[in-house]
Amino acid sequence: MPDNPENENKTKPVSLPVIVTRGLLIFPNGSETISVGREFGKAAVDDSRRSCNSLVYIAAQKDPAIENPSEKDVYPYGTLCRITNLVEEEDGYRIRVVGSKRASLHNYRMVGKAYYVDGVVIDDVHGDPAEEKELVDRIVKGLEESPAVGREIPRVALNQVTQGAQPEQVVDHLIAYLPIASLSDKANLLGEPSVVKRLQYFLAILGREKQSADIEKTLNDKMRSQAEKNQRDYILREKMKAIQDELGEGKDKEDSPDAIKEELEKNPYPENVKARVRKELKRYAMMPETSVEASLIMDYIHTLMNVPWYQKTEDNEDLDNVKKVLDEDHYGLEPVKKRIIEYLAVKKMTGTLKAPILCFYGPPGCGKTSLGRSIARALGRKFYKASLGGIYDEAEIRGHRRTYVGAMPGRIIQGMTKAGVTNPVFMLDEIDKLGSNELHGDPASALLEVLDPEQNFAFADTYLEEPYDLSNVLFIATANYLENVPAPLRDRLELIEVPSYTELEKVKISAGFLVKKETAANGLKPEDIEFTEDGIKEIIEHYTLEAGVRWLERNIATCCRKAVVQILQDKSVKRPIVVDAAKVREYLGKEILLGTQKEKENQVGVVTGLAYTEAGGDILPIEVTYFPGKGGLVLTGSLGDVMKESCSIAIDYVRANAQKYGIDPTLFEKNDFHIHVPEGATPKDGPSAGVAITTAIVSACTHTPVDANVAMTGEVTLRGKALAIGGLREKSLAALRSGIKQIIVPKENERDVAELPEEVKNNLKISYMTCVDDALAIALVHPKA
């Protein structure tokens, strides 16, 4: 190590320990006190004093948060410094260093516990003396013309510049005092050898500083002007109020503080609400009436007072009346009605609603929402429906914080405000369609507090900021698919299935409800139009495909409108207009649906499965074929992952049991199998087609036809077992509608058969299976000996 590296050859690298600071750079002839606490820094100080004549490089890391910086994390320029003073502290050293030379630093390495670096001294490169002097004069002038910038720089530093400091020293004296100069700016100045470029760079930084100061001054002037205007407006407004009062023209506003206080005192609001309103009124009184904050406070006060805190309706607890109303509004649904009666009977007996929340689930259009309306009408309660489909923001349930612009309460408090009472029937519609994302939380989780009887007596809405009692609310939820309802939320619900309607039920609903409703809605009288049973069946079978009755109602309304036009245009038309099957085709046009029909003849490799869809049930033809190949499996028909797995399980089972079914084992090695489920544009998924797929594969491999009058449903295992399925009601109705004579279902589903409609049990043969062999024995049609 040289005795005095400051006097060494400038192009020869000098290796010295380096202290890396968190955001501090020292310029030549400058001095600073530095606290050194990191281990490599303390080791660098020790090595510098012991063997380097107290010389050390000072460099700055780019990101102060990095604890152990590498060479890429440190600016490539630093300063050769000498340690002039050292004080030991509890957690390190406090040193005083004096800058000597600029240096370009590279080759960082660890020697012992300290970082060492090779440094090359950067000499000043002078340009035209006149240009350097001109730049120095412009810097001095800029400091004089901008007091806001000039007062940041100590008088001593200014005197050194104005009293003949060398051009190369000007930047080194002043740069540390410009707060707008970033660490990157300082590093660039430190590594710039050209004095002219250094002065130009500093002058640009000075211009930015002056521009920032000018902007701040402009803003301060605007704020002062606005404050004076607000004060003037306030004084004029108060004078105007006084003049109006003298003339007797003052207006009593409902939202005036006095009116709010009067309403607060004469009504039985909870004490915590009264205290909060009084507190907000005090804040309101201290603000200009036209300020944004005053408007937000008044909106909050109105929201708080408009929420029902004490208003309630008396329940009609006559269970016979409840049953009567439910029967008037809904045909069938006897299990659902009985469960509702039981629920309300327990409420009447206990006087509390601390029970699981009712949740009606089933296909769309089956009357879930209207059941809620009927319950409200039967009890004499107000009804409110909150549609939750597509909500992705937790604040939609809990409300927004008042600090946000446009903040408002959540859907729950908004619904209570619109209902106007503390005990409405509150329907949470389509909770299975709630969404969630990482940015806005999980709305379904926010509902847990709402629907938990142990917590909802003190529901916390973020906007309201006061606990709200929801324990008197009769919550009813609806869903189409329980699988989409999170398990913790589903655990709080009393699940009541609202099944799809049979054709007979749809006919009865049409005759008893829909025809009367749409006749009146379109201005017709009962003597103007008459729907026959054949006409209703024509609409059901050929113009609707649904589990409920929404499309049926729309088509009946269309027929009514057509009849209205006919009556108005043809005065001689015979009344009543009889809407039979032929009239339906005239009014509604060509048949939209021909209905999913079974195969007309027995087919090899084609099996009729049963599916549960959004529209209820449907039959599902499954086709299997094979052709020369290398043992591949082709799956088509827009199949989901679960159904693809069922295909793999089915073919692996048949392959493993090939000899049992008289199939040549080499068939699977020399051929590719193709499994297709028609209507490829319609997505299909679920495990319940497993037995049907297996049967189709066995049929194709053995060239044995499958009975076209037989349909089946059931999940298959690798051992050929048939597992239970869901949606048996919908699937059996679809089989009956499609002309199927016999269905095969898992033995475990035998308990569900008792709940099937009578028309299904009377017209459809139901067979049971425990394994695939049971289905094969029934479905495969073997040639007669």
Side-chain angles (χ1 to χ4, degrees):
M1 189 64 63
D3 291 336
N4 192 357
E6 295 166 294
N7 297 325
E8 286 293 308
N9 184 353
K10 307 305 182 189
T11 61
K12 179 181 179 182
V14 177
S15 179
L16 288 174
V18 60
I19 298 175
V20 180
T21 68
R22 300 180 191 263
L24 174 66
L25 279 173
I26 298 173
F27 282 77
N29 301 316
S31 63
E32 286 288 348
T33 299
I34 303 174
S35 293
V36 182
R38 290 185 282 190
E39 290 300 322
F40 61 82
K42 292 188 287 186
V45 172
D46 292 337
D47 287 1
S48 173
R49 298 180 64 214
R50 181 172 57 250
S51 57
C52 299
N53 297 328
S54 295
L55 292 176
V56 67
Y57 289 120
I58 303 293
Q61 62 191 63
K62 299 173 183 177
D63 184 357
I66 298 175
E67 189 63 29
N68 294 299
S70 61
E71 183 170 354
K72 65 182 178 60
D73 300 319
V74 183
Y75 286 106
Y77 304 110
T79 309
L80 176 63
C81 299
R82 184 180 296 277
I83 300 174
T84 60
N85 190 25
L86 181 144
V87 177
E88 293 190 10
E89 296 181 330
E90 183 176 348
D91 57 349
Y93 299 134
R94 188 170 74 252
I95 61 174
R96 185 74 176 177
V97 296
V98 177
S100 175
K101 299 289 185 182
R102 289 175 164 78
S104 174
L105 309 179
H106 59 279
N107 191 21
Y108 279 75
R109 60 196 180 278
M110 185 67 74
V111 178
K113 294 183 177 181
Y115 279 121
Y116 274 72
V117 68
D118 294 336
V120 177
V121 171
I122 300 174
D123 284 331
D124 293 328
V125 177
H126 286 275
D128 183 359
E131 184 180 2
E132 291 178 356
K133 184 177 184 306
E134 172 64 20
L135 290 170
V136 172
D137 292 343
R138 288 175 61 186
I139 290 173
V140 173
K141 184 178 179 181
L143 294 174
E144 291 175 347
E145 291 179 351
S146 180
V149 178
R151 61 171 169 263
E152 300 285 345
I153 302 174
R155 175 53 56 184
V156 175
L158 284 173
N159 289 339
Q160 288 178 334
V161 174
T162 56
Q163 294 175 6
Q166 295 301 314
E168 65 271 17
Q169 298 174 341
V170 170
V171 172
D172 298 345
H173 286 323
L174 299 180
I175 188 60
Y177 304 109
L178 284 187
I180 200 171
S182 65
L183 187 62
S184 176
D185 289 333
K186 294 177 181 179
N188 290 336
L189 286 170
L190 188 62
E192 179 56 62
S194 171
V195 175
V196 171
K197 289 183 179 179
R198 209 184 299 161
L199 292 169
Q200 290 172 339
Y201 198 127
F202 182 85
L203 198 57
I205 297 174
L206 188 62
R208 294 207 314 263
E209 181 77 12
K210 182 177 182 300
Q211 185 179 17
S212 176
D214 291 343
I215 292 173
E216 184 176 359
K217 181 178 182 300
T218 301
L219 291 175
N220 288 336
D221 290 344
K222 286 184 178 179
M223 290 175 60
R224 187 181 304 106
S225 175
Q226 185 64 41
E228 291 173 355
K229 181 180 182 301
N230 289 341
Q231 181 66 17
R232 175 176 172 275
D233 290 348
Y234 174 76
I235 294 172
L236 291 175
R237 193 172 291 107
E238 291 300 315
K239 286 184 178 180
M240 185 180 297
K241 286 182 181 179
I243 293 171
Q244 288 177 339
D245 290 340
E246 288 294 325
L247 295 174
E249 297 176 355
K251 296 181 180 180
D252 295 328
K253 295 183 179 179
E254 293 182 0
D255 59 351
S256 67
D258 292 339
I260 291 173
K261 289 178 183 177
E262 182 181 351
E263 182 183 353
L264 193 67
E265 297 305 326
K266 74 179 183 181
N267 291 309
Y269 287 97
E271 287 303 318
N272 62 312
V273 175
K274 289 183 176 181
R276 171 54 70 96
V277 173
R278 293 188 189 107
K279 178 181 176 181
E280 296 296 326
L281 285 173
K282 288 182 179 178
R283 291 182 59 208
Y284 178 80
M286 297 172 63
M287 296 180 179
E289 190 174 339
T290 56
S291 69
V292 175
E293 183 67 18
S295 175
L296 294 176
I297 291 174
M298 188 55 67
D299 287 344
Y300 172 71
I301 291 174
H302 283 310
T303 300
L304 193 62
M305 296 185 66
N306 288 336
V307 175
W309 296 97
Y310 57 88
Q311 303 91 333
K312 64 184 301 185
T313 56
E314 293 297 325
D315 286 352
N316 181 353
E317 296 182 335
D318 184 352
L319 297 182
D320 291 334
N321 179 68
V322 174
K323 186 176 186 307
K324 177 184 175 184
V325 171
L326 292 176
D327 288 339
E328 288 176 357
D329 293 348
H330 298 84
Y331 175 82
L333 302 178
E334 295 305 323
V336 177
K337 293 176 182 177
K338 288 180 181 178
R339 182 63 189 89
I340 292 172
I341 295 293
E342 292 169 2
Y343 181 85
L344 298 177
V346 172
K347 173 197 168 295
K348 179 179 179 180
M349 184 67 71
T350 61
T352 178
L353 284 175
K354 285 194 174 181
I357 309 300
L358 292 181
C359 177
F360 300 137
Y361 73 94
C366 291
K368 298 183 290 296
T369 303
S370 59
L371 275 171
R373 294 184 186 276
S374 296
I375 293 173
R377 186 164 77 90
L379 291 175
R381 289 193 176 198
K382 298 289 185 66
F383 177 80
Y384 180 79
K385 185 187 80 168
S387 298
L388 304 183
I391 290 179
Y392 283 84
D393 191 348
E394 181 182 348
E396 290 285 341
I397 304 297
R398 292 191 180 276
H400 304 78
R401 294 192 178 277
R402 290 172 57 196
T403 52
Y404 296 131
V405 176
M408 63 179 66
R411 295 287 182 97
I412 303 301
I413 296 300
Q414 288 182 40
M416 295 301 295
T417 302
K418 291 178 180 178
V421 291
T422 59
N423 62 338
V425 173
F426 199 118
M427 176 159 282
L428 301 168
D429 201 27
E430 299 187 335
I431 60 171
D432 56 325
K433 295 178 178 61
L434 283 170
S436 65
N437 58 44
E438 296 180 359
L439 292 177
H440 303 291
D442 184 5
S445 298
L447 279 178
L448 297 180
E449 181 185 1
V450 176
L451 300 180
D452 191 341
E454 301 299 326
Q455 302 181 52
N456 65 8
F457 64 88
F459 172 65
D461 184 273
T462 307
Y463 180 86
L464 212 60
E465 296 182 352
E466 292 294 331
Y468 190 79
D469 186 3
L470 294 173
S471 61
N472 294 315
V473 180
L474 176 55
F475 283 105
I476 298 176
T478 71
N480 296 133
Y481 297 99
L482 287 180
E483 295 79 6
N484 296 341
V485 181
L489 184 57
R490 191 164 61 241
D491 186 55
R492 287 164 167 77
L493 303 174
E494 176 78 25
L495 302 175
I496 300 177
E497 183 179 10
V498 182
S500 57
Y501 295 116
T502 66
E503 181 176 308
L504 177 61
E505 288 173 333
K506 290 181 180 180
V507 171
K508 295 291 186 183
I509 292 170
S510 299
F513 300 91
L514 303 182
V515 170
K516 294 178 182 178
K517 176 182 175 183
E518 293 303 326
T519 298
N522 288 279
L524 295 170
K525 297 178 181 178
E527 58 268 22
D528 293 331
I529 191 169
E530 177 185 335
F531 283 81
T532 67
E533 184 172 324
D534 288 342
I536 297 296
K537 287 184 177 179
E538 179 71 14
I539 296 175
I540 294 171
E541 293 176 3
H542 300 295
Y543 295 91
T544 65
L545 179 62
E546 58 180 345
V549 292
R550 283 198 183 124
W551 278 103
L552 176 57
E553 181 177 357
R554 289 173 186 147
N555 282 310
I556 291 174
T558 300
C559 291
C560 290
R561 291 194 299 272
K562 299 285 187 181
V564 170
V565 173
Q566 190 173 356
I567 290 172
L568 293 178
Q569 290 182 343
D570 185 0
K571 301 298 183 181
S572 63
V573 67
K574 184 180 178 181
R575 305 187 195 182
I577 296 176
V578 178
V579 184
D580 54 13
K583 203 68 171 178
V584 166
R585 289 191 289 272
E586 177 187 336
Y587 282 164
L588 300 182
K590 66 178 181 180
E591 297 174 345
I592 298 174
L593 303 167
L594 297 177
T596 308
Q597 300 295 323
K598 68 180 183 66
E599 293 291 332
K600 294 181 179 180
E601 299 179 356
N602 300 343
Q603 301 282 335
V604 173
V606 180
V607 174
T608 303
L610 297 173
Y612 180 40
T613 69
E614 292 183 0
D618 200 1
I619 65 171
L620 194 71
I622 297 171
E623 303 173 349
V624 175
T625 188
Y626 65 88
F627 43 84
K630 298 181 180 180
L633 177 62
V634 181
L635 304 176
T636 56
S638 190
L639 308 184
D641 291 339
V642 176
M643 201 164 183
K644 290 178 180 177
E645 291 175 357
S646 294
C647 294
S648 298
I649 293 170
I651 200 162
D652 287 347
Y653 168 77
V654 177
R655 190 171 184 175
N657 295 272
Q659 292 182 347
K660 174 181 176 182
Y661 297 119
I663 302 171
D664 182 2
T666 62
L667 181 71
F668 298 94
E669 299 173 2
K670 300 177 181 178
N671 295 276
D672 290 344
F673 277 76
H674 188 153
I675 301 176
H676 176 65
V677 183
E679 296 188 22
T682 304
K684 309 167 191 72
D685 204 4
S688 62
V691 172
I693 296 170
T694 307
T695 302
I697 294 172
V698 173
S699 170
C701 293
T702 61
H703 302 284
T704 306
V706 178
D707 191 340
N709 290 310
V710 174
M712 61 189 72
T713 179
E715 180 179 354
V716 71
T717 70
L718 279 174
R719 296 176 296 160
K721 300 294 183 183
L723 303 183
I725 50 87
L728 181 59
R729 175 189 173 93
E730 286 73 17
K731 292 177 179 179
S732 63
L733 286 171
L736 182 62
R737 184 176 64 244
S738 303
I740 297 293
K741 303 299 182 183
Q742 182 178 5
I743 61 172
I744 308 171
V745 301
K747 181 70 174 175
E748 294 180 28
N749 285 107
E750 187 175 3
R751 62 182 183 273
D752 300 323
V753 172
E755 298 180 4
L756 294 180
E758 289 300 323
E759 59 188 290
V760 171
K761 291 188 284 188
N762 294 336
N763 297 289
L764 198 63
K765 182 179 179 180
I766 302 175
S767 301
Y768 304 101
M769 59 179 168
T770 57
C771 61
V772 171
D773 290 347
D774 296 337
L776 293 174
I778 298 171
L780 295 184
V781 181
H782 296 282
K784 295 180 181 180

